Amino acid sequence: MNSQVISVFILSLLCTAISTVAMADIEKLKKQCAECHEKDGNSKDKDTPRIAGLSAAYIKDSIAAYLDDVRPAQNVKRKDKEDTDMKKIAKELKEDEIDALAKYFSEQKYKSVDQKFDADKAGKGAPLHKKFCAKCHEKEGKSPSDDAGFLGGQHISYMEYSMKNYQDGKREMVKKMEVKWKAMHKKAGDEGIEQLIHYYASQK
């Protein structure tokens, strides 16, 4: 076996070893994410969003928002572990790990939360969604092609938290969302926000 063949063989072994280590690391990260989001991204915790099926671009943008400190993060209490939040978690992730996790969760099937909602408010929220939100949140807010967060079938508690952050200016809005938000609020006020939340909660 000549030296060139040996070099290629060694390089192949090294690449395989590196690939195996990287895969092991990603599997470990998936388990860590599953503590809050569940293995398939369909969180059971009312304060944690379901991230299964979101576009990879949206997931990566969300993590970037945590890193840039333009998106607030709720404190997560964990048994036998130090409390954490998404900002702390984001800072621990490498770029290739973010890419791998975004790809993984984007490939999972999204499931709407089975929860109680106010049917009257949901009915009043339907036309608000159609007029102010549907253009960017298609399919009742469950279209990954929008590169936006899923709203339809999301946890009510999490949606209330997110909407309040937007309303209080703690979470950044893109320009087109800001325009639509202000128009919706002018028409329906705070009640409109609540009606939209219950409309999205009603989506299966």
Side-chain angles (χ1 to χ4, degrees), residues 25-95:
D25 288 343
I26 292 302
E27 289 303 317
K28 182 180 178 181
L29 285 171
K30 287 180 188 177
K31 289 181 180 179
Q32 291 174 347
C33 294
E35 291 179 15
C36 296
H37 293 284
E38 298 297 326
K39 185 178 180 180
D40 65 352
N42 288 294
S43 168
K44 296 176 182 176
D45 176 33
K46 64 183 179 65
D47 295 319
T48 303
R50 293 198 164 190
I51 60 174
L54 290 168
S55 73
Y58 178 80
I59 294 173
K60 289 190 281 188
D61 285 347
S62 295
I63 293 174
Y66 287 123
L67 289 170
D68 294 339
D69 202 26
V70 293
R71 178 170 176 172
Q74 298 190 81
N75 186 58
V76 178
K77 294 186 179 297
R78 301 187 295 180
K79 292 180 180 179
D80 305 321
K81 291 183 181 180
E82 184 181 351
D83 292 355
T84 190
D85 60 52
M86 274 304 301
K87 289 184 180 181
K88 293 177 183 177
I89 292 169
K91 289 177 182 177
E92 295 173 357
L93 296 173
K94 299 173 184 176
E95 188 173 349

Side-chain angles (χ1 to χ4, degrees), residues 1-13:
M1 188 179 290
N2 62 42
S3 59
Q4 186 175 2
V5 173
I6 292 173
S7 296
V8 170
F9 178 70
I10 292 174
L11 182 60
S12 176
L13 287 177

Side-chain angles (χ1 to χ4, degrees), residues 181-192:
W181 178 284
K182 287 180 178 178
M184 186 283 297
H185 196 267
K186 184 177 180 180
K187 177 179 175 62
D190 291 347
E191 293 84 358

